[in-house]
Amino acid sequence: MYDWNALWHEREAYRTGYDIHHDDVNELAGALQARLIHPAAATGQVAVYEDENRYILAGHDGGLQLLEVMKHGLFDITLRFVSEDEGQGVALPYVEIHVDNLATEEQAVWRAETRVDDEGRIWVGKRTLDENVLPAMPFDDLSFTDNAEFREELARVWHEDLPQLRPLIEAWFHNGGEIGAVNEPAHYGDAERVQQMCDRYAEIVRREQAQLSRMFSDDELRLIAGVIAGIHFDSAASCRGVWLAVEARIIEDELDQQHQIDAETLLSKMKGLSYAQEVALIEALSPLN
C-alpha cells in the first residue's frame, strides 16, 4: 500500500481549527465522517481516514493538519517495451502502457505493435515516434479518464518517455529479434553517452519496480530476497529464470510454509515476468547484484 508518511510530506497540508492533542489524531472518524484505515502508531506519524472518494491524512505538528488526497489522482502509468511473448496475442515487439490505481482498484492496458519501416521510422500502432500526436487509447472505462492530470501525464509518457525506448526498439530489429547490445563498442568511451544509458536503465528499473511492488506481497518479496541473497548474477543472461531458483528452494526448504504464502501462485507470477522485470527484481532485492 502507500507510504502514508511520505505522501504526507510530498503534498501540501493545511491547518484546521480543531484543537486537539497528538494522541487524538486517531479519534477523528466522526468529525471527518470517514473511516480510520491506518492509525498513527507514534507521535509525528500520520493517521489515515477514508471515504468513498478520498483519503484524509491527519497529522499533528504544533496543531492539527489535514491533507485531503483524492483517490482519482493516485494513478500510476507504466511504460514497457515488450520483446518476449507473454501470451497477450500481440505480435512482437510491442509497446505496453499500463494504468492502475490502487485507491480505486482500477486497471487498464493499451498495447500496440512496434515496427520499423523502409525509411527507418519507428511506428507504434498507427503513429510514429516523430509525430507529436497522442493516439487514441482505450482508457474510457477508467473513472478518472477525463482527469486533467491523468491526460497530461499520459501525454508526457508518450511524448517524453516513449522516445527514450528508441535504442531498445532499434536494437531489437537490428539484431534479428533480440535486444543484444544497444550501442556500438565505440560508444563506451563516450562518458556522456554512458551516463545517458545509465539514466535510462535506472528509469526503466524504477518503473518496473513500481509495478512489481503492486504485483507481489511483502511476504513473497521476503521469500524471493532470501533465495537470491547469495546468488551472483555475473552476466546479463544469468538474470533470466529467477523463478527456477525460487522453485528449487521451495521444494528443498519449504519456504512457502515458512513465509505462509501460496507457492503455486508465487511461481505463476514469477514465470510471467519479462526480462526487464526480473532485472528490476534483482536490483531491488539482491545485495550482490
Side-chain angles (χ1 to χ4, degrees):
M1 199 52 180
Y2 300 105
D3 184 337
W4 298 112
N5 291 296
L7 194 63
W8 169 263
H9 290 293
E10 287 173 2
R11 298 181 179 232
E12 184 180 357
Y14 61 90
R15 294 185 181 278
T16 72
Y18 291 102
D19 183 16
I20 69 169
H21 300 289
H22 284 285
D23 298 337
D24 295 332
V25 293
N26 294 330
E27 307 296 333
L28 298 173
L32 298 176
Q33 297 184 334
R35 180 171 59 97
L36 178 66
I37 63 170
H38 180 79
T43 300
Q45 294 192 355
V46 175
V48 182
Y49 297 84
E50 177 187 26
D51 64 20
E52 183 178 357
N53 298 312
R54 60 182 177 160
Y55 294 116
I56 305 171
L57 282 62
H60 197 287
D61 183 12
L64 177 66
Q65 294 176 310
L66 297 179
L67 172 64
E68 182 180 278
V69 181
M70 301 306 295
K71 293 181 178 180
H72 289 169
L74 292 174
F75 56 83
D76 288 298
I77 301 178
T78 303
L79 171 68
R80 299 176 59 213
F81 174 63
V82 182
S83 58
E84 297 182 5
D85 187 11
E86 298 180 354
Q88 300 298 336
V90 182
L92 293 176
Y94 60 88
V95 163
E96 175 182 282
I97 294 180
H98 185 276
V99 178
D100 73 332
N101 188 321
L102 288 176
T104 62
E105 299 182 348
E106 296 174 90
Q107 292 187 350
V109 181
W110 178 82
R111 300 181 180 93
E113 181 181 352
T114 303
R115 60 186 176 87
V116 176
D117 63 20
D118 294 338
E119 299 178 12
R121 296 177 299 178
I122 295 176
W123 289 79
V124 178
K126 298 181 179 180
R127 301 291 182 187
T128 72
L129 288 189
D130 301 320
E131 289 183 79
N132 193 32
V133 179
L134 185 70
M137 298 181 187
F139 294 137
D140 293 343
D141 292 337
L142 296 175
S143 63
F144 51 91
T145 188
D146 293 326
N147 180 292
E149 292 183 4
F150 172 65
R151 304 311 301 185
E152 290 173 3
E153 179 61 12
L154 191 61
R156 189 199 64 76
V157 168
W158 180 267
H159 296 308
E160 297 180 17
D161 293 351
L162 182 56
Q164 293 186 32
L165 298 181
R166 183 187 297 271
L168 287 176
I169 297 172
E170 291 176 340
W172 193 91
F173 286 98
H174 293 164
N175 293 310
E178 297 182 358
I179 293 297
V182 174
N183 301 286
E184 296 296 327
H187 289 155
Y188 292 118
D190 185 339
E192 182 177 352
R193 178 57 173 158
V194 170
Q195 183 60 53
Q196 184 185 58
M197 293 168 59
C198 291
D199 289 345
R200 290 175 176 175
Y201 171 77
E203 181 63 16
I204 291 172
V205 168
R206 184 190 70 80
R207 290 175 179 272
E208 294 291 3
Q209 287 176 345
Q211 183 173 350
L212 291 170
S213 68
R214 299 187 291 272
M215 185 182 303
F216 294 97
S217 69
D218 290 343
D219 287 335
E220 289 173 332
L221 291 173
R222 278 191 282 269
L223 185 152
I224 298 170
V227 170
I228 68 178
I231 299 177
H232 291 266
F233 298 94
D234 298 322
S235 65
S238 68
C239 297
R240 195 61 171 140
V242 178
W243 70 270
L244 292 168
V246 172
E247 182 182 52
R249 287 291 305 280
I250 286 177
I251 294 173
E252 294 173 5
D253 302 327
E254 298 183 340
L255 294 184
D256 55 327
Q257 297 184 25
Q258 293 181 32
H259 292 271
Q260 297 184 335
I261 60 122
D262 184 272
E264 184 177 348
T265 299
L266 172 61
L267 292 173
S268 177
K269 287 190 286 189
M270 294 193 70
K271 291 176 184 178
L273 295 179
S274 67
Y275 175 74
Q277 288 175 316
E278 287 194 292
V279 170
L281 196 64
I282 292 168
E283 292 284 7
L285 302 179
S286 175
L288 303 176
N289 51 50

